[in-house]
Amino acid sequence: MEIRTRFAPSPTGFLHIGGLRTALYNYVYAKKHAGQFILRIEDTDQKRLVKNASSNLIHALKIFGINFDEGPGFNEIYGPYKQSERLDLYKQHYLELIKNGYAYVCLVKGDELFPILDVKEGLQYLEYDTCVIKLKIPDQGIIKIFDELRGEVEFDLNLIDDPIIIKSDGFPTYHFASVVDDHLMKISHVIRGEEWLSSLPKHILLYKSFNWKPPKFIHLPLLLNPDKSKLSKRQGDVDVESFIKKGYLKETIINFIALLGWHPNNDEEVFDINFLIKNFSINKIQKSGAIFDVKKLNWMNSVYIKKLNIKKFILLFNETYPNHKFDFSNETKLYKIFEFIKNRIKILDEVPDLLSPFYNDFIVKDLEVLDYLKTEEAKLVLQYWYDSISSYENINQEDISELIHNTEKKISLKGKKIFYPLRSALYGSFNGPDLFAIISILGIEETKKRLETYI
Ligand code: GLU
Protein backbone atom coordinates (compact mmCIF):
# COMPACT_ATOMS: atom_id res chain seq x y z
CA MET A 1 0.00 0.00 0.00
CA GLU A 2 1.28 3.45 -0.88
CA ILE A 3 1.50 5.67 2.17
CA ARG A 4 -0.36 8.93 1.60
CA THR A 5 -0.85 11.36 4.45
CA ARG A 6 -2.36 14.79 4.49
CA PHE A 7 -2.41 18.01 6.44
CA ALA A 8 -5.80 19.62 6.09
CA PRO A 9 -5.88 23.01 7.78
CA SER A 10 -8.74 25.44 7.73
CA PRO A 11 -7.46 28.85 6.65
CA THR A 12 -8.71 30.73 9.69
CA GLY A 13 -5.51 32.42 10.81
CA PHE A 14 -1.87 31.71 11.36
CA LEU A 15 -0.49 28.24 11.71
CA HIS A 16 -0.95 27.08 15.30
CA ILE A 17 1.90 25.25 16.98
CA GLY A 18 -0.36 22.17 17.25
CA GLY A 19 -1.07 22.40 13.54
CA LEU A 20 2.62 22.45 12.81
CA ARG A 21 3.07 19.28 14.87
CA THR A 22 0.26 17.58 12.93
CA ALA A 23 1.83 18.66 9.64
CA LEU A 24 5.25 17.50 10.79
CA TYR A 25 4.12 14.03 11.89
CA ASN A 26 2.19 13.54 8.65
CA TYR A 27 5.15 14.71 6.63
CA VAL A 28 7.77 12.58 8.36
CA TYR A 29 5.54 9.51 8.35
CA ALA A 30 5.05 9.82 4.60
CA LYS A 31 8.75 10.49 3.98
CA LYS A 32 9.86 7.60 6.16
CA HIS A 33 7.79 5.24 4.00
CA ALA A 34 8.67 6.86 0.69
CA GLY A 35 5.06 8.01 0.46
CA GLN A 36 3.32 11.24 -0.45
CA PHE A 37 2.42 14.16 1.79
CA ILE A 38 -0.59 16.16 0.70
CA LEU A 39 -1.75 19.63 1.65
CA ARG A 40 -5.47 20.24 1.43
CA ILE A 41 -7.08 23.54 2.30
CA GLU A 42 -10.37 23.04 4.13
CA ASP A 43 -12.09 26.31 3.41
CA THR A 44 -15.73 25.28 3.53
CA ASP A 45 -16.66 27.48 6.45
CA GLN A 46 -17.01 30.66 4.46
CA LYS A 47 -17.75 32.76 7.54
CA ARG A 48 -14.45 31.94 9.20
CA LEU A 49 -12.17 32.54 6.26
CA VAL A 50 -9.28 34.92 6.86
CA LYS A 51 -7.66 36.75 3.98
CA ASN A 52 -4.20 35.43 3.03
CA ALA A 53 -4.47 32.64 5.58
CA SER A 54 -3.86 29.94 2.93
CA SER A 55 -0.75 31.57 1.58
CA ASN A 56 0.49 32.21 5.13
CA LEU A 57 0.03 28.55 5.94
CA ILE A 58 1.88 27.46 2.84
CA HIS A 59 4.66 29.94 3.58
CA ALA A 60 4.97 28.75 7.18
CA LEU A 61 5.26 25.10 6.11
CA LYS A 62 7.93 26.06 3.62
CA ILE A 63 9.97 27.85 6.28
CA PHE A 64 10.16 24.59 8.19
CA GLY A 65 11.01 22.51 5.18
CA ILE A 66 7.70 20.65 5.30
CA ASN A 67 7.22 20.43 1.57
CA PHE A 68 4.09 18.88 0.15
CA ASP A 69 4.10 16.50 -2.80
CA GLU A 70 0.59 17.49 -3.84
CA GLY A 71 -1.33 20.58 -2.88
CA PRO A 72 -3.03 23.75 -4.11
CA GLY A 73 -1.46 24.74 -7.41
CA PHE A 74 1.09 21.95 -7.25
CA ASN A 75 0.84 18.46 -8.65
CA GLU A 76 -2.96 18.40 -8.38
CA ILE A 77 -3.39 14.74 -9.31
CA TYR A 78 -6.63 14.40 -7.38
CA GLY A 79 -7.29 18.12 -7.36
CA PRO A 80 -8.42 20.70 -6.81
CA TYR A 81 -6.86 20.73 -3.33
CA LYS A 82 -9.01 23.55 -2.04
CA GLN A 83 -12.37 22.34 -0.85
CA SER A 84 -14.23 25.43 -2.01
CA GLU A 85 -13.29 24.41 -5.56
CA ARG A 86 -14.68 20.88 -5.18
CA LEU A 87 -18.37 21.64 -4.79
CA ASP A 88 -19.37 19.65 -7.89
CA LEU A 89 -17.65 16.58 -6.55
CA TYR A 90 -19.44 16.90 -3.23
CA LYS A 91 -22.75 17.30 -5.01
CA GLN A 92 -22.31 14.04 -6.89
CA HIS A 93 -21.62 12.33 -3.61
CA TYR A 94 -24.40 13.76 -1.49
CA LEU A 95 -26.93 12.99 -4.21
CA GLU A 96 -25.75 9.40 -4.12
CA LEU A 97 -26.22 9.26 -0.35
CA ILE A 98 -29.72 10.73 -0.54
CA LYS A 99 -30.76 8.34 -3.30
CA ASN A 100 -29.46 5.38 -1.32
CA GLY A 101 -31.30 6.49 1.81
CA TYR A 102 -28.23 7.34 3.93
CA ALA A 103 -28.90 11.05 3.99
CA TYR A 104 -31.97 13.26 3.82
CA VAL A 105 -32.95 16.79 2.97
CA CYS A 106 -34.24 19.20 5.62
CA LEU A 107 -36.20 22.27 4.69
CA VAL A 108 -34.99 25.41 6.48
CA LYS A 109 -37.69 27.75 7.79
CA GLY A 110 -36.33 30.45 10.03
CA ASP A 111 -34.47 28.69 12.81
CA GLU A 112 -36.22 25.41 12.25
CA LEU A 113 -35.39 22.38 10.16
CA PHE A 114 -38.09 20.15 8.67
CA PRO A 115 -36.87 16.71 7.62
CA ILE A 116 -38.25 15.55 4.27
CA LEU A 117 -38.15 11.81 4.45
CA ASP A 118 -39.38 11.08 0.96
CA VAL A 119 -36.36 11.08 -1.33
CA LYS A 120 -38.05 12.44 -4.45
CA GLU A 121 -39.73 15.20 -2.53
CA GLY A 122 -36.47 16.00 -0.78
CA LEU A 123 -34.60 16.34 -4.05
CA GLN A 124 -37.25 18.71 -5.35
CA TYR A 125 -37.03 20.94 -2.31
CA LEU A 126 -33.27 20.87 -2.66
CA GLU A 127 -33.60 22.38 -6.09
CA TYR A 128 -35.98 25.23 -5.26
CA ASP A 129 -35.77 25.94 -1.52
CA THR A 130 -33.32 26.67 1.24
CA CYS A 131 -32.29 23.28 2.55
CA VAL A 132 -29.62 21.45 4.47
CA ILE A 133 -28.71 17.79 4.18
CA LYS A 134 -28.26 15.50 7.15
CA LEU A 135 -26.64 12.12 7.53
CA LYS A 136 -28.79 9.39 9.04
CA ILE A 137 -27.18 7.94 12.15
CA PRO A 138 -28.71 4.64 13.33
CA ASP A 139 -30.70 5.22 16.54
CA GLN A 140 -29.25 2.38 18.53
CA GLY A 141 -26.07 0.40 18.79
CA ILE A 142 -22.41 0.67 19.52
CA ILE A 143 -19.86 1.42 16.86
CA LYS A 144 -16.34 0.08 17.35
CA ILE A 145 -13.49 1.83 15.60
CA PHE A 146 -9.80 1.09 15.54
CA ASP A 147 -7.39 3.92 16.22
CA GLU A 148 -3.77 2.90 15.59
CA LEU A 149 -2.72 4.53 18.83
CA ARG A 150 -5.62 3.84 21.13
CA GLY A 151 -6.76 0.49 19.83
CA GLU A 152 -10.49 -0.17 19.69
CA VAL A 153 -12.62 2.81 20.65
CA GLU A 154 -16.38 2.46 21.19
CA PHE A 155 -19.07 5.04 20.59
CA ASP A 156 -22.72 4.83 21.56
CA LEU A 157 -24.77 5.77 18.48
CA ASN A 158 -27.66 6.71 20.69
CA LEU A 159 -25.68 9.76 21.77
CA ILE A 160 -24.97 11.02 18.27
CA ASP A 161 -27.43 13.29 16.48
CA ASP A 162 -27.77 13.25 12.72
CA PRO A 163 -25.07 15.70 11.63
CA ILE A 164 -25.53 18.26 8.89
CA ILE A 165 -23.34 17.35 5.95
CA ILE A 166 -24.38 20.10 3.52
CA LYS A 167 -25.19 23.56 4.78
CA SER A 168 -27.83 25.93 3.44
CA ASP A 169 -25.17 27.84 1.49
CA GLY A 170 -24.49 24.65 -0.47
CA PHE A 171 -21.08 24.13 1.12
CA PRO A 172 -20.30 20.84 2.80
CA THR A 173 -19.45 20.66 6.49
CA TYR A 174 -16.04 19.48 7.58
CA HIS A 175 -17.18 15.89 8.26
CA PHE A 176 -18.53 15.29 4.80
CA ALA A 177 -15.87 17.10 2.81
CA SER A 178 -12.95 15.56 4.64
CA VAL A 179 -14.27 12.01 4.27
CA VAL A 180 -15.03 12.43 0.56
CA ASP A 181 -11.63 14.02 -0.02
CA ASP A 182 -9.62 11.56 2.04
CA HIS A 183 -11.18 8.82 -0.05
CA LEU A 184 -10.81 10.49 -3.42
CA MET A 185 -7.27 11.57 -2.64
CA LYS A 186 -6.42 8.01 -1.61
CA ILE A 187 -5.24 8.98 1.85
CA SER A 188 -3.90 5.93 3.66
CA HIS A 189 -3.34 7.40 7.14
CA VAL A 190 -5.26 10.22 8.79
CA ILE A 191 -3.01 11.67 11.47
CA ARG A 192 -4.68 14.54 13.31
CA GLY A 193 -5.36 16.05 16.71
CA GLU A 194 -7.27 14.24 19.43
CA GLU A 195 -10.02 16.85 19.26
CA TRP A 196 -11.28 15.06 16.15
CA LEU A 197 -11.64 11.67 17.82
CA SER A 198 -15.23 12.38 18.83
CA SER A 199 -16.10 13.03 15.16
CA LEU A 200 -14.74 9.67 14.12
CA PRO A 201 -18.02 7.69 14.34
CA LYS A 202 -19.65 10.17 11.95
CA HIS A 203 -16.76 9.74 9.56
CA ILE A 204 -16.84 5.96 9.78
CA LEU A 205 -20.58 5.93 9.12
CA LEU A 206 -19.98 8.05 6.05
CA TYR A 207 -17.39 5.56 4.81
CA LYS A 208 -19.89 2.77 5.42
CA SER A 209 -22.66 4.61 3.58
CA PHE A 210 -20.44 4.96 0.54
CA ASN A 211 -19.18 1.43 0.93
CA TRP A 212 -15.62 2.71 1.08
CA LYS A 213 -12.72 1.30 3.03
CA PRO A 214 -11.65 3.84 5.66
CA PRO A 215 -8.01 4.88 6.03
CA LYS A 216 -6.07 4.20 9.21
CA PHE A 217 -6.61 6.74 11.98
CA ILE A 218 -4.12 8.15 14.44
CA HIS A 219 -5.32 10.82 16.87
CA LEU A 220 -2.44 12.75 18.38
CA PRO A 221 -2.37 13.67 22.05
CA LEU A 222 -3.61 17.09 23.09
CA LEU A 223 -1.11 19.84 23.78
CA LEU A 224 -1.33 21.02 27.38
CA ASN A 225 -0.05 23.86 29.49
CA PRO A 226 2.13 22.87 32.45
CA ASP A 227 -1.00 23.11 34.66
CA LYS A 228 -2.56 20.48 32.34
CA SER A 229 -5.13 22.87 30.89
CA LYS A 230 -5.54 22.76 27.14
CA LEU A 231 -2.96 24.85 25.32
CA SER A 232 -4.86 27.72 23.83
CA LYS A 233 -4.49 31.26 22.62
CA ARG A 234 -5.45 32.63 25.99
CA GLN A 235 -2.18 31.38 27.45
CA GLY A 236 -0.16 33.55 25.09
CA ASP A 237 0.93 33.31 21.54
CA VAL A 238 0.59 29.88 20.08
CA ASP A 239 0.99 30.70 16.44
CA VAL A 240 4.19 29.57 14.84
CA GLU A 241 4.96 33.00 13.42
CA SER A 242 5.14 34.57 16.84
CA PHE A 243 7.71 32.00 17.98
CA ILE A 244 9.90 32.89 15.05
CA LYS A 245 9.45 36.60 15.73
CA LYS A 246 10.51 36.11 19.34
CA GLY A 247 13.73 34.57 18.15
CA TYR A 248 13.30 30.83 18.35
CA LEU A 249 15.21 29.07 15.61
CA LYS A 250 13.18 27.01 13.21
CA GLU A 251 15.41 24.02 13.91
CA THR A 252 14.56 24.36 17.59
CA ILE A 253 10.85 24.60 16.92
CA ILE A 254 10.82 21.47 14.76
CA ASN A 255 12.89 19.55 17.30
CA PHE A 256 10.75 20.73 20.19
CA ILE A 257 7.38 19.97 18.65
CA ALA A 258 8.60 16.60 17.40
CA LEU A 259 8.94 15.70 21.08
CA LEU A 260 5.44 16.86 21.95
CA GLY A 261 3.93 13.42 22.08
CA TRP A 262 6.68 11.34 20.55
CA HIS A 263 10.21 10.35 21.48
CA PRO A 264 12.88 8.26 19.81
CA ASN A 265 14.00 4.87 21.10
CA ASN A 266 17.18 6.12 22.69
CA ASP A 267 15.44 9.14 24.25
CA GLU A 268 17.74 11.46 22.36
CA GLU A 269 16.54 15.04 22.77
CA VAL A 270 18.38 17.13 20.21
CA PHE A 271 17.94 16.09 16.60
CA ASP A 272 16.98 17.38 13.18
CA ILE A 273 14.19 16.57 10.77
CA ASN A 274 16.25 13.92 8.96
CA PHE A 275 16.79 12.04 12.18
CA LEU A 276 13.08 12.31 12.76
CA ILE A 277 12.25 10.88 9.33
CA LYS A 278 14.55 7.96 9.98
CA ASN A 279 13.33 7.22 13.47
CA PHE A 280 9.69 8.24 13.52
CA SER A 281 7.20 5.54 14.35
CA ILE A 282 3.56 5.63 15.28
CA ASN A 283 3.93 3.19 18.15
CA LYS A 284 6.19 5.65 19.94
CA ILE A 285 3.51 8.32 20.00
CA GLN A 286 2.06 8.74 23.46
CA LYS A 287 -1.66 8.74 24.19
CA SER A 288 -1.68 11.10 27.14
CA GLY A 289 -1.53 14.87 26.67
CA ALA A 290 1.83 16.41 25.84
CA ILE A 291 2.95 19.30 28.01
CA PHE A 292 4.20 22.39 26.26
CA ASP A 293 7.07 23.41 28.50
CA VAL A 294 8.46 26.81 27.58
CA LYS A 295 11.47 26.24 29.84
CA LYS A 296 12.43 23.23 27.80
CA LEU A 297 11.88 25.16 24.59
CA ASN A 298 14.21 27.89 25.88
CA TRP A 299 16.85 25.40 26.90
CA MET A 300 16.67 23.73 23.52
CA ASN A 301 16.93 27.04 21.71
CA SER A 302 20.05 27.92 23.70
CA VAL A 303 21.56 24.63 22.56
CA TYR A 304 20.85 25.50 18.93
CA ILE A 305 22.13 29.04 19.31
CA LYS A 306 25.40 27.78 20.78
CA LYS A 307 25.82 25.59 17.72
CA LEU A 308 25.38 28.51 15.28
CA ASN A 309 28.36 29.88 13.48
CA ILE A 310 28.88 33.56 14.18
CA LYS A 311 28.12 34.78 10.68
CA LYS A 312 24.86 32.89 10.64
CA PHE A 313 24.03 34.18 14.11
CA ILE A 314 24.55 37.80 13.05
CA LEU A 315 22.55 37.23 9.88
CA LEU A 316 19.72 35.77 11.90
CA PHE A 317 19.78 38.74 14.23
CA ASN A 318 19.63 41.15 11.31
CA GLU A 319 16.72 39.22 9.83
CA THR A 320 14.84 39.18 13.11
CA TYR A 321 15.50 42.88 13.78
CA PRO A 322 15.70 44.48 10.32
CA ASN A 323 15.26 47.97 11.82
CA HIS A 324 17.81 47.86 14.62
CA LYS A 325 20.01 50.93 15.07
CA PHE A 326 23.27 49.34 16.19
CA ASP A 327 26.28 50.34 14.18
CA PHE A 328 27.75 47.03 13.09
CA SER A 329 30.51 48.56 10.96
CA ASN A 330 33.38 47.44 13.21
CA GLU A 331 33.44 43.76 12.32
CA THR A 332 36.05 42.64 14.80
CA LYS A 333 34.07 44.12 17.63
CA LEU A 334 30.86 42.71 16.20
CA TYR A 335 32.20 39.17 16.06
CA LYS A 336 33.55 39.42 19.59
CA ILE A 337 30.22 40.64 20.89
CA PHE A 338 28.22 37.94 19.19
CA GLU A 339 30.65 35.27 20.32
CA PHE A 340 30.13 36.56 23.82
CA ILE A 341 26.35 36.76 23.52
CA LYS A 342 25.98 33.35 21.91
CA ASN A 343 26.70 31.50 25.10
CA ARG A 344 24.42 33.59 27.25
CA ILE A 345 21.04 33.66 25.63
CA LYS A 346 18.07 31.43 25.18
CA ILE A 347 16.20 33.43 22.56
CA LEU A 348 17.16 36.14 20.10
CA ASP A 349 14.86 38.51 21.92
CA GLU A 350 17.56 38.87 24.57
CA VAL A 351 20.19 40.10 22.14
CA PRO A 352 19.32 43.84 21.92
CA ASP A 353 19.66 44.31 25.69
CA LEU A 354 23.00 42.55 25.67
CA LEU A 355 24.22 44.54 22.70
CA SER A 356 23.36 48.00 23.88
CA PRO A 357 26.00 48.37 26.63
CA PHE A 358 28.65 47.78 23.98
CA TYR A 359 27.62 50.55 21.65
CA ASN A 360 28.58 54.20 21.59
CA ASP A 361 25.48 55.80 22.93
CA PHE A 362 26.17 53.99 26.19
CA ILE A 363 25.06 55.72 29.38
CA VAL A 364 24.34 54.33 32.82
CA LYS A 365 20.60 54.49 33.31
CA ASP A 366 20.06 52.59 36.54
CA LEU A 367 19.74 55.19 39.33
CA GLU A 368 21.12 52.92 42.02
CA VAL A 369 24.16 52.25 39.87
CA LEU A 370 24.57 55.96 39.16
CA ASP A 371 24.45 56.80 42.87
CA TYR A 372 27.00 54.16 43.60
CA LEU A 373 29.33 55.53 40.96
CA LYS A 374 29.31 58.85 42.80
CA THR A 375 30.81 57.36 45.99
CA GLU A 376 34.42 58.05 46.85
CA GLU A 377 35.26 54.35 47.00
CA ALA A 378 33.97 53.80 43.51
CA LYS A 379 35.80 56.79 42.12
CA LEU A 380 39.06 55.58 43.62
CA VAL A 381 38.75 52.32 41.74
CA LEU A 382 37.80 53.99 38.47
CA GLN A 383 40.68 56.44 38.75
CA TYR A 384 43.19 53.71 39.51
CA TRP A 385 42.08 51.70 36.50
CA TYR A 386 41.98 54.72 34.28
CA ASP A 387 45.59 55.51 35.17
CA SER A 388 46.81 51.95 34.92
CA ILE A 389 45.09 50.87 31.76
CA SER A 390 46.74 53.56 29.64
CA SER A 391 49.94 51.53 29.64
CA TYR A 392 48.26 48.66 27.78
CA GLU A 393 47.74 48.39 24.06
CA ASN A 394 45.99 45.08 24.27
CA ILE A 395 44.75 43.41 27.35
CA ASN A 396 44.43 39.76 28.26
CA GLN A 397 42.95 37.77 31.10
CA GLU A 398 46.24 37.77 33.01
CA ASP A 399 46.58 41.53 32.78
CA ILE A 400 43.13 41.87 34.27
CA SER A 401 44.00 39.54 37.18
CA GLU A 402 47.13 41.51 37.76
CA LEU A 403 45.24 44.80 37.73
CA ILE A 404 42.74 43.46 40.22
CA HIS A 405 45.52 42.24 42.44
CA ASN A 406 47.25 45.64 42.31
CA THR A 407 44.00 47.43 43.07
CA GLU A 408 43.59 45.32 46.19
CA LYS A 409 47.07 46.25 47.31
CA LYS A 410 46.99 49.92 46.39
CA ILE A 411 43.62 50.99 47.66
CA SER A 412 42.83 48.05 49.91
CA LEU A 413 39.41 47.25 48.46
CA LYS A 414 38.35 43.76 47.55
CA GLY A 415 35.92 41.66 45.53
CA LYS A 416 32.63 43.41 44.80
CA LYS A 417 34.11 46.76 45.76
CA ILE A 418 36.34 46.43 42.76
CA PHE A 419 33.97 44.72 40.34
CA TYR A 420 30.88 46.80 40.99
CA PRO A 421 32.32 50.21 40.15
CA LEU A 422 34.09 48.92 37.07
CA ARG A 423 31.18 46.95 35.75
CA SER A 424 28.87 49.87 36.48
CA ALA A 425 30.96 52.38 34.57
CA LEU A 426 31.75 50.07 31.69
CA TYR A 427 28.56 48.06 31.37
CA GLY A 428 25.87 49.90 33.31
CA SER A 429 25.05 47.32 35.96
CA PHE A 430 26.53 45.68 39.05
CA ASN A 431 26.21 42.22 37.64
CA GLY A 432 26.89 40.91 34.19
CA PRO A 433 29.81 39.62 32.21
CA ASP A 434 33.29 39.35 33.67
CA LEU A 435 35.58 42.33 33.31
CA PHE A 436 37.81 40.71 30.76
CA ALA A 437 34.86 40.01 28.46
CA ILE A 438 33.70 43.61 28.72
CA ILE A 439 37.08 45.25 28.27
CA SER A 440 38.24 43.02 25.48
CA ILE A 441 35.11 43.87 23.54
CA LEU A 442 35.22 47.61 24.24
CA GLY A 443 38.93 47.95 23.58
CA ILE A 444 41.28 50.13 25.59
CA GLU A 445 40.19 53.47 24.12
CA GLU A 446 36.49 53.00 24.74
CA THR A 447 37.23 51.60 28.20
CA LYS A 448 39.19 54.70 29.10
CA LYS A 449 36.48 56.93 27.75
CA ARG A 450 33.83 55.28 29.87
CA LEU A 451 35.95 55.33 33.01
CA GLU A 452 36.62 58.99 32.47
CA THR A 453 32.93 59.78 32.07
CA TYR A 454 32.11 58.35 35.46
CA ILE A 455 35.12 59.57 37.41
N1 GLU B 1 -9.80 21.17 8.83
C1 GLU B 1 -9.56 20.46 10.04
C2 GLU B 1 -8.70 21.36 10.93
O1 GLU B 1 -8.74 22.52 10.76
C3 GLU B 1 -8.85 19.17 9.74
C4 GLU B 1 -9.15 18.05 10.65
C5 GLU B 1 -8.64 16.75 10.08
O2 GLU B 1 -7.43 16.62 9.96
O3 GLU B 1 -9.45 15.88 9.75
O4 GLU B 1 -8.03 20.98 11.81
Side-chain angles (χ1 to χ4, degrees):
M1 176 183 57
E2 199 197 10
I3 302 293
R4 290 174 59 84
T5 61
R6 68 2 174 228
F7 177 49
S10 304
T12 53
F14 285 109
L15 182 56
H16 181 282
I17 204 84
L20 184 63
R21 182 192 62 173
T22 302
L24 179 68
Y25 284 13
N26 275 286
Y27 171 76
V28 296
Y29 189 69
K31 292 302 119 184
K32 172 160 185 170
H33 297 283
Q36 307 294 306
F37 170 65
I38 286 114
L39 176 69
R40 182 174 72 227
I41 299 294
E42 302 209 323
D43 57 349
T44 58
D45 193 346
Q46 294 291 300
K47 286 187 284 272
R48 290 180 61 217
L49 295 189
V50 172
K51 222 178 141 212
N52 296 331
S54 294
S55 47
N56 283 336
L57 278 165
I58 292 174
H59 177 70
L61 292 177
K62 218 185 214 158
I63 290 182
F64 289 98
I66 301 179
N67 299 319
F68 48 87
D69 301 295
E70 296 163 30
F74 184 74
N75 225 356
E76 300 196 79
I77 306 173
Y78 302 109
Y81 285 79
K82 259 192 187 166
Q83 290 186 328
S84 59
E85 294 166 12
R86 298 171 63 82
L87 298 186
D88 285 349
L89 278 167
Y90 302 133
K91 184 168 183 185
Q92 247 169 271
H93 286 90
Y94 69 68
L95 289 178
E96 182 187 328
L97 283 191
I98 296 173
K99 284 176 192 153
N100 292 334
Y102 290 110
Y104 57 94
V105 174
C106 293
L107 196 56
V108 181
K109 284 209 168 133
D111 285 345
E112 278 187 84
L113 298 182
F114 296 91
I116 314 293
L117 293 177
D118 181 84
V119 171
K120 265 200 189 136
E121 219 182 311
L123 290 175
Q124 265 172 8
Y125 276 117
L126 198 54
E127 221 163 300
Y128 300 109
D129 286 279
T130 310
C131 297
V132 300
I133 302 170
K134 280 189 169 185
L135 179 72
K136 254 187 217 162
I137 304 275
D139 289 339
Q140 298 293 335
I142 298 285
I143 182 167
K144 292 180 181 172
I145 309 170
F146 196 80
D147 174 279
E148 299 298 307
L149 212 59
R150 291 152 215 276
E152 201 167 67
V153 197
E154 290 188 359
F155 296 89
D156 185 351
L157 293 176
N158 196 18
L159 301 176
I160 305 173
D161 290 335
D162 292 357
I164 293 181
I165 55 173
I166 304 294
K167 294 174 285 186
S168 57
D169 62 3
F171 278 78
T173 56
Y174 154 70
H175 304 299
F176 185 75
S178 76
V179 165
V180 170
D181 289 350
D182 284 340
H183 176 75
L184 296 180
M185 294 177 179
K186 298 195 170 25
I187 300 302
S188 64
H189 292 72
V190 168
I191 305 174
R192 63 185 171 195
E194 187 180 326
E195 62 272 28
W196 301 109
L197 187 61
S198 59
S199 303
L200 194 53
K202 294 172 191 164
H203 299 176
I204 293 295
L205 288 170
L206 275 165
Y207 281 102
K208 283 201 169 134
S209 315
F210 282 119
N211 205 10
W212 290 339
K213 183 171 174 272
K216 290 193 159 49
F217 290 98
I218 298 101
H219 288 89
L220 304 174
L222 290 176
L223 298 185
L224 306 175
N225 292 300
D227 69 358
K228 304 264 165 85
S229 60
K230 197 176 161 208
L231 187 73
S232 70
K233 280 221 187 279
R234 263 162 286 145
Q235 267 81 28
D237 294 328
V238 286
D239 63 86
V240 170
E241 232 91 347
S242 72
F243 282 93
I244 294 190
K245 277 204 192 108
K246 272 188 216 146
Y248 291 98
L249 274 54
K250 53 183 193 298
E251 292 82 359
T252 310
I253 299 175
I254 286 289
N255 190 162
F256 178 75
I257 63 166
L259 289 168
L260 289 176
W262 177 86
H263 61 95
N265 263 333
N266 58 2
D267 280 335
E268 207 160 313
E269 295 246 271
V270 180
F271 50 77
D272 66 7
I273 198 164
N274 294 322
F275 173 95
L276 190 59
I277 293 173
K278 238 196 209 149
N279 293 281
F280 188 76
S281 62
I282 286 173
N283 60 19
K284 281 273 168 194
I285 300 176
Q286 72 195 46
K287 287 189 276 280
S288 56
I291 293 186
F292 189 98
D293 180 359
V294 177
K295 275 197 209 127
K296 182 168 175 181
L297 175 64
N298 288 343
W299 163 78
M300 195 174 268
N301 205 49
S302 74
V303 172
Y304 276 91
I305 288 177
K306 283 194 188 85
K307 288 203 279 188
L308 282 176
N309 100 359
I310 287 295
K311 265 203 177 136
K312 176 96 197 287
F313 184 24
I314 296 168
L315 194 76
L316 211 66
F317 176 78
N318 283 329
E319 275 169 16
T320 315
Y321 293 92
N323 301 318
H324 76 76
K325 296 277 184 295
F326 298 106
D327 172 12
F328 281 178
S329 55
N330 180 342
E331 275 212 351
T332 323
K333 180 176 173 183
L334 182 65
Y335 277 48
K336 271 191 192 162
I337 295 178
F338 273 84
E339 195 66 66
F340 158 79
I341 289 178
K342 206 169 90 151
N343 296 312
R344 299 180 175 255
I345 58 162
K346 298 190 184 78
I347 55 177
L348 293 184
D349 234 9
E350 296 168 62
V351 176
D353 278 351
L354 283 166
L355 278 178
S356 44
F358 292 116
Y359 281 91
N360 294 336
D361 48 2
F362 170 82
I363 46 159
V364 178
K365 292 193 192 100
D366 187 319
L367 292 181
E368 201 189 334
V369 173
L370 269 176
D371 278 346
Y372 180 65
L373 281 169
K374 287 179 195 147
T375 62
E376 282 312 309
E377 258 182 19
K379 281 197 181 151
L380 272 177
V381 177
L382 300 188
Q383 188 68 51
Y384 180 73
W385 278 60
Y386 180 80
D387 297 339
S388 317
I389 217 159
S390 305
S391 58
Y392 294 93
E393 252 173 48
N394 278 312
I395 203 156
N396 61 31
Q397 181 73 65
E398 275 157 35
D399 300 331
I400 299 277
S401 307
E402 193 185 19
L403 268 170
I404 292 171
H405 186 67
N406 293 343
T407 318
E408 284 170 358
K409 278 205 303 204
K410 271 264 157 29
I411 49 182
S412 38
L413 290 172
K414 261 191 170 178
K416 283 181 187 168
K417 301 217 160 173
I418 297 175
F419 298 122
Y420 277 14
L422 289 167
R423 212 181 273 123
S424 299
L426 299 175
Y427 191 76
S429 62
F430 294 142
N431 298 308
D434 64 74
L435 285 176
F436 174 63
I438 300 172
I439 296 173
S440 71
I441 291 171
L442 291 177
I444 300 290
E445 278 318 301
E446 180 65 22
T447 301
K448 276 179 70 181
K449 215 173 101 191
R450 290 186 182 192
L451 291 172
E452 196 178 8
T453 308
Y454 292 100
I455 285 174

